[in-house]
Amino acid sequence: MAEDKKKVPMPVADDEAVRRQLDQQNKLYLTPKHYAAYILSGFGDKNWETFNGTNLFFFQTTFLGAKPSILSFSSAVCGVMDTFDNAISGPLIDRTRTRWGRVRPWLILTLPFWFFSAFVPWILPGGMSQTAIFVWFLALNYIGSIANSFYNPSYQAILFNLTPNVAERNRLIATDAYVDLAGVWLPSLFPFFVDYLPRSIPSRYIFMGGAFLFIASVVIFRTYGFFSLKERVPLASRDEMNQINIIKTIKSVGTCRPMWVLLIKNFFALGKAVGRQVENYFWLNCMGKISLGTISGLFTGLPSYFVLPLAPKLTKKFGLRNLAAGSYMFCGISYFVMWLIGYKPTSNNLVNIIWIIFALTVCGSVNSIQRYCSTALNGDLYDYVEWKTGIRNEGTITAAMGYITLLTTQLSTILSGIIVDAIHYKPLLDANGVLVPQTDAKMLAGIWTIFALGPAIGRFMKGVTLLFFNVNGKTRETMMYELARIRAAKVIDTEPAEDKNQA
């Protein structure tokens, strides 16, 4: 009985409150400003990640005199240290309650730590000892990893809190995915500055200038996103949160069927990852030139520009789960048919190249649909957990997803190495050290099998796995109605005054 007295009674929503919540789930909240704020917040990060990933290692070894082994060792040690903050970041984000929302504060609170870890490597002096370099980069990497452990789940989670209207949310996902198709072209222009700016400017300063430009863009876009975005999904009160401790939260998430379906589905990315690991082997040995992979990439991404805008309409017609499962299975079957036909159907090399480009274009024709569905399915998962527990736990779920992604990446690297060793591949070099394509038919067939059959199995199994995702059809309709009751009981009117005026 004493235990019952401590419990905070859950509020009960009347029919009128539920009706208003259902209306809110169908009205439009996002203006062009909100679309721009969310997309730009990620746009700055994507450009920085591309620039930093391409140039930092070169900068460190060229201008700071860092040994590659020292940089690798500091990164490995940081990865071990990073396990702790990754484990606690999700539950802490889920339990945050502020006047600015639950996840939005982390977009700005992490910014000083990220800025320090990103800016300092570019201004360190040359001539430091290797021990000093190790200590500096271990500290900087760890400070940056702490910032990212809280920022990345928050940025992903805020997408699913911007609007209670699922259709509107899916349109935002599709728009963001479409902008991503343009790629991160700004960092690709940077080498022209290195090559063509006046020689009187030291190269180090050119690299530093590029870094400062992209760092500034991240700061500006993240700050803009913080002030422009709003969370509109009502949250549980602190008293309700206290009834569900972190252990119970982890347990409720860990026993969630839709989450495990998505985790297993993400694990099957192993197939595509292994195929990607041997792409250069394929283009060099089976087709004759690595550069043909670049040419192929110009064509294989074209269908996405035409298919992706149809994603929200296809979702309404077939259902999100079915659209996702169908697109993955179509892709898997396409890769399998491509493998059966082979990489060399004729003795004409031009015909073979055209065939491979055509086949890969078909295989990748719904890649953008898959990216859209993967993000949207996460939204259904978060809603499902809220439905079952009354609490939104995007942070904890995102942390679990991150561990599976890390595991898949590591396994794909290990598995690729084992497979390449199994086919006894050894690179051939001419007298000048230039790579020469292999001619052994058995070895070429082995490379082709990895290149084509790995993605075929991985994509098809992703589709099969998604058939067990039970947030679909009537279950999903029931969930959305009962979510309206849950949210109405928490906050009777979640509509901001400015949104009422817009309506």
Side-chain angles (χ1 to χ4, degrees):
M1 295 294 294
E3 229 178 303
D4 292 337
K5 290 180 182 178
K6 293 181 181 178
K7 289 184 178 179
V8 178
M10 292 292 290
V12 179
D14 57 31
D15 291 339
E16 175 62 18
V18 175
R19 185 191 63 76
R20 286 154 63 188
Q21 276 290 334
L22 287 171
D23 288 342
Q24 288 181 353
Q25 289 178 179
N26 293 313
K27 69 173 291 185
L28 300 179
Y29 292 87
L30 303 182
T31 66
K33 177 183 177 181
H34 297 129
Y35 277 82
Y38 178 77
I39 292 170
L40 286 175
S41 295
F43 182 75
D45 289 314
K46 292 182 183 76
N47 279 280
W48 164 251
E49 289 166 6
T50 301
F51 175 86
N52 194 57
T54 303
N55 298 297
L56 181 59
F57 186 81
F58 176 81
F59 184 87
Q60 291 168 329
T61 54
T62 303
F63 300 110
L64 301 184
K67 292 182 179 179
S69 58
I70 293 295
L71 298 175
S72 298
F73 185 47
S74 68
S75 179
V77 174
C78 176
V80 175
M81 296 167 58
D82 194 32
T83 303
F84 175 74
D85 55 269
N86 270 328
I88 67 172
S89 62
L92 284 178
I93 292 170
D94 289 335
R95 301 177 75 82
T96 298
R97 293 295 182 276
T98 73
R99 58 179 292 188
W100 299 283
R102 177 170 58 99
V103 297
R104 189 160 66 106
W106 295 103
L107 301 183
I108 202 75
L109 290 175
T110 56
L111 193 53
F113 299 95
W114 175 86
F115 176 82
F116 182 80
S117 66
F119 182 79
V120 171
W122 301 90
I123 61 173
L124 289 174
M128 292 190 300
S129 68
Q130 296 302 311
T131 300
I133 289 175
F134 171 79
V135 173
W136 264 106
F137 282 103
L138 178 61
L140 292 169
N141 287 340
Y142 189 56
I143 292 172
S145 70
I146 292 175
N148 288 330
S149 293
F150 285 88
Y151 172 78
N152 290 336
S154 300
Y155 178 70
Q156 293 181 46
I158 198 170
L159 167 64
F160 305 101
N161 290 272
L162 294 176
T163 172
N165 185 328
V166 176
E168 185 176 43
R169 181 178 73 196
N170 288 345
R171 284 193 293 272
L172 175 58
I173 293 170
T175 304
D176 185 47
Y178 197 83
V179 172
D180 273 356
L181 294 177
V184 282
W185 57 271
L186 284 176
S188 67
L189 300 177
F190 178 74
F192 291 96
F193 291 95
V194 177
D195 290 337
Y196 296 108
L197 279 177
R199 295 296 178 182
S200 58
I201 303 175
S203 296
R204 173 172 179 158
Y205 293 164
I206 298 175
F207 278 90
M208 291 170 64
F212 299 160
L213 173 66
F214 287 109
I215 289 173
S217 71
V218 172
V219 173
I220 293 170
F221 289 145
R222 284 194 190 181
T223 303
Y224 175 67
F226 170 76
F227 285 107
S228 301
L229 298 174
K230 294 183 178 181
E231 298 177 45
R232 291 183 174 85
V233 176
L235 301 174
S237 67
R238 291 187 184 277
D239 289 334
E240 292 166 348
M241 287 294 296
N242 290 335
Q243 293 184 53
I244 305 178
N245 59 35
I246 292 180
I247 300 300
K248 288 182 178 179
T249 296
I250 295 174
K251 182 179 178 181
S252 65
V253 171
T255 56
C256 174
R257 170 178 164 179
M259 188 192 77
W260 282 104
V261 170
L262 294 187
L263 286 176
I264 295 171
K265 169 251 182 187
N266 289 347
F267 179 78
F268 281 118
L270 185 66
K272 179 63 176 177
V274 170
R276 187 180 297 114
Q277 294 278 356
V278 299
E279 281 186 4
N280 282 346
Y281 292 89
F282 168 73
W283 292 111
L284 171 67
N285 298 287
C286 297
M287 302 306 296
K289 292 181 180 179
I290 292 179
S291 60
L292 290 174
T294 303
I295 296 173
S296 173
L298 298 175
F299 293 92
T300 55
L302 289 178
S304 295
Y305 289 95
F306 304 99
V307 173
L308 184 56
L310 302 176
K313 293 182 180 179
L314 293 174
T315 299
K316 287 184 178 180
K317 184 172 184 178
F318 299 107
L320 182 62
R321 191 275 308 270
N322 296 336
L323 177 63
S327 65
Y328 278 115
M329 286 192 281
F330 169 80
C331 185
I333 292 171
S334 298
Y335 268 108
F336 184 73
V337 172
M338 184 181 79
W339 172 71
L340 286 177
I341 296 175
Y343 70 95
K344 195 175 181 180
T346 74
S347 59
N348 188 313
N349 288 335
L350 179 60
V351 172
N352 294 337
I353 292 170
I354 293 174
W355 147 243
I356 290 298
I357 291 176
F358 170 78
L360 290 175
T361 300
V362 173
C363 292
S365 60
V366 291
N367 280 351
S368 58
I369 293 288
Q370 294 165 12
R371 182 190 182 283
Y372 157 83
C373 288
S374 293
T375 306
L377 285 170
N378 286 340
D380 281 351
L381 168 60
Y382 300 148
D383 288 341
Y384 181 88
V385 173
E386 182 187 358
W387 176 38
K388 292 297 184 181
T389 67
I391 307 295
R392 291 188 73 84
N393 292 302
E394 294 102 322
T396 303
I397 294 170
T398 302
M401 297 287 188
Y403 281 121
I404 292 296
T405 300
L406 179 62
L407 176 64
T408 300
T409 301
Q410 293 174 339
L411 284 178
S412 67
T413 301
I414 294 171
L415 189 58
S416 298
I418 293 173
I419 293 174
V420 171
D421 283 342
I423 64 175
H424 305 292
Y425 178 82
K426 293 188 181 298
L428 295 179
L429 304 174
D430 64 14
N432 296 321
V434 177
L435 284 167
V436 177
Q438 292 276 1
T439 57
D440 181 82
K442 187 175 181 181
M443 184 179 295
L444 298 181
I447 294 173
W448 170 248
T449 298
I450 304 168
F451 176 78
L453 204 54
I457 296 173
R459 294 299 178 92
F460 188 80
M461 289 307 300
K462 277 188 173 187
V464 172
T465 302
L466 284 175
L467 294 177
F468 295 91
F469 190 81
N470 59 329
V471 189
N472 186 62
K474 291 189 177 298
T475 298
R476 190 174 180 281
E477 292 176 7
T478 301
M479 177 186 77
M480 294 309 299
Y481 176 78
E482 293 187 3
L483 272 179
R485 297 185 63 86
I486 292 171
R487 291 169 179 173
K490 292 175 184 174
V491 182
I492 297 302
D493 189 3
T494 61
E495 184 179 6
E498 66 183 69
D499 288 330
K500 288 181 181 179
N501 294 333
Q502 289 175 10

